[in-house]
Amino acid sequence: RDRGGKPIGLSGISVDITERVQVEKALRHQARRERLVALIGQRIRASLQLNDILCTTVAELRQFLQSDRMVIYRFSEKERGIVVAESVDRDYPPKLGTGVNIDCLGISLEAYSRGECNVIHDVELSSLNGETLKFLRQRQIKSRLAVPILVEDEVGDSKSQTRSKQLWGLLVADHCTKVHHWHRQEINLLTSLATQVAIAIRQAQLYAKLEESKRQLEESNRELLRLASMDWLTQTANRLRFDECINQEWRQM
């Protein structure tokens, strides 16, 4: 301002807050991912049925990642995997129940067993073997992210059992419409959820074993009751069974 107080110019300071904005954006995304992992993990563990767990996983993840197909492969044999769960866009044919050779899955079983991920940003620009490239082209896949599902299992006999993580299958996200560059956050997210899925699978396996043990125990109890009520030589009802029947008839009368 001049001596009379009239404005004659303007001075100011500008501060570049680009870095701060990027950090805030990254923190918001990180918080969102953490909430998603917790939410999906909660939904996954809400059921002890393996099929429900797998279907919930692929449906939730495909919606979040905006991918065209999300599948879970299970290795039923040494060199073969089966699609046991799938969520796919209606523009692409479903592959549920189909098998695939391990040669078509990008890297070796040993690499997946070590926890390595198979990250393919662009199928046409990646150094893939012929079988893998043919397999991905047939399914119109342009980008793929495959994360191993390592389930804790007990190895050895009853006297010397050790726990180790065994390769159960793969959690796979596919982009078919266009090429997608996988960010580190997406890879970390899928890896975290693969761990959640592995825990849920282990719980489902233990629950299935418990149910089977319960069923066997009930069968054994029924057989013991039958043996206790029969004469072993004549295979006719014994005195114990007679007492049970007469007491039952007495109460009914």
Side-chain angles (χ1 to χ4, degrees):
R1 297 176 181 271
D2 59 16
R3 293 182 178 180
K6 182 180 178 181
I8 58 174
L10 179 68
S11 65
I13 298 174
S14 62
V15 180
D16 186 355
I17 62 170
T18 303
E19 183 177 355
R20 189 181 75 185
V21 171
Q22 290 175 345
V23 171
E24 291 175 350
K25 184 178 179 181
L27 288 174
R28 287 196 299 270
H29 286 174
Q30 178 66 22
R32 185 186 176 197
R33 286 193 298 272
E34 291 176 355
R35 288 195 300 270
L36 177 73
V37 171
L39 178 61
I40 295 180
Q42 182 181 359
R43 292 179 180 174
I44 290 173
R45 294 190 298 272
S47 174
L48 291 173
Q49 301 299 321
L50 183 58
N51 186 62
D52 294 341
I53 293 170
L54 302 181
C55 290
T56 300
T57 301
V58 293
E60 294 281 353
L61 278 178
R62 190 174 82 85
Q63 181 179 3
F64 178 76
L65 295 176
Q66 296 297 303
S67 60
D68 298 305
R69 178 184 284 113
M70 180 71 63
V71 299
I72 292 179
Y73 290 106
R74 181 174 184 178
F75 296 123
S76 58
E77 301 175 10
K78 178 75 175 172
E79 300 295 332
R80 192 166 179 80
I82 304 294
V83 178
V84 293
E86 179 185 42
S87 177
V88 60
D89 188 272
R90 61 184 180 182
D91 292 335
Y92 300 96
K95 300 296 181 181
L96 185 63
T98 59
V100 57
N101 293 327
I102 189 60
D103 295 336
C104 301
L105 295 179
I107 59 178
S108 64
L109 281 178
E110 289 74 17
Y112 282 126
S113 298
R114 293 193 298 267
E116 295 183 19
C117 301
N118 184 25
V119 183
I120 304 175
H121 301 292
D122 189 338
V123 168
E124 301 301 329
L125 299 180
S126 300
S127 56
L128 302 170
N129 61 57
E131 288 294 324
T132 302
L133 187 58
K134 179 181 177 182
F135 172 81
L136 296 177
R137 283 174 175 173
Q138 286 177 345
R139 285 160 174 75
Q140 301 174 275
I141 298 171
K142 291 182 170 56
S143 302
R144 161 167 283 201
L145 173 59
V147 176
I149 300 174
L150 303 174
V151 178
E152 189 178 81
D153 197 7
E154 295 177 350
V155 181
D157 54 27
S158 57
K159 294 182 179 180
S160 59
Q161 283 187 346
T162 58
R163 292 185 175 182
S164 63
K165 290 187 176 181
Q166 304 295 323
L167 180 61
W168 185 92
L170 296 177
L171 180 60
V172 181
D174 290 331
H175 280 274
C176 305
T177 306
K178 59 182 179 180
V179 172
H180 178 78
H181 182 82
W182 298 103
H183 298 288
R184 172 51 57 183
Q185 294 89 344
E186 293 174 317
I187 299 173
N188 292 340
L189 171 67
L190 214 60
T191 302
S192 299
L193 288 173
T195 302
Q196 297 280 345
V197 172
I199 295 173
I201 289 173
R202 181 58 178 165
Q203 290 176 340
Q205 290 174 342
L206 294 175
Y207 178 75
K209 288 182 179 180
L210 180 62
E211 288 295 303
E212 178 63 19
S213 299
K214 182 180 178 181
R215 185 188 63 81
Q216 292 178 355
L217 180 60
E218 290 174 349
E219 289 183 356
S220 298
N221 288 336
R222 285 194 295 268
E223 180 63 14
L224 287 174
L225 182 61
R226 186 188 70 82
L227 293 175
S229 303
M230 301 290 290
D231 178 75
W232 69 272
L233 181 62
T234 63
Q235 292 299 301
T236 58
N238 60 15
R239 175 58 186 267
L240 176 62
R241 183 58 180 158
F242 170 80
D243 290 341
E244 291 176 351
C245 288
I246 197 171
N247 288 332
Q248 180 179 354
E249 293 297 328
W250 180 264
R251 288 194 299 270
Q252 288 179 352
M253 294 297 292

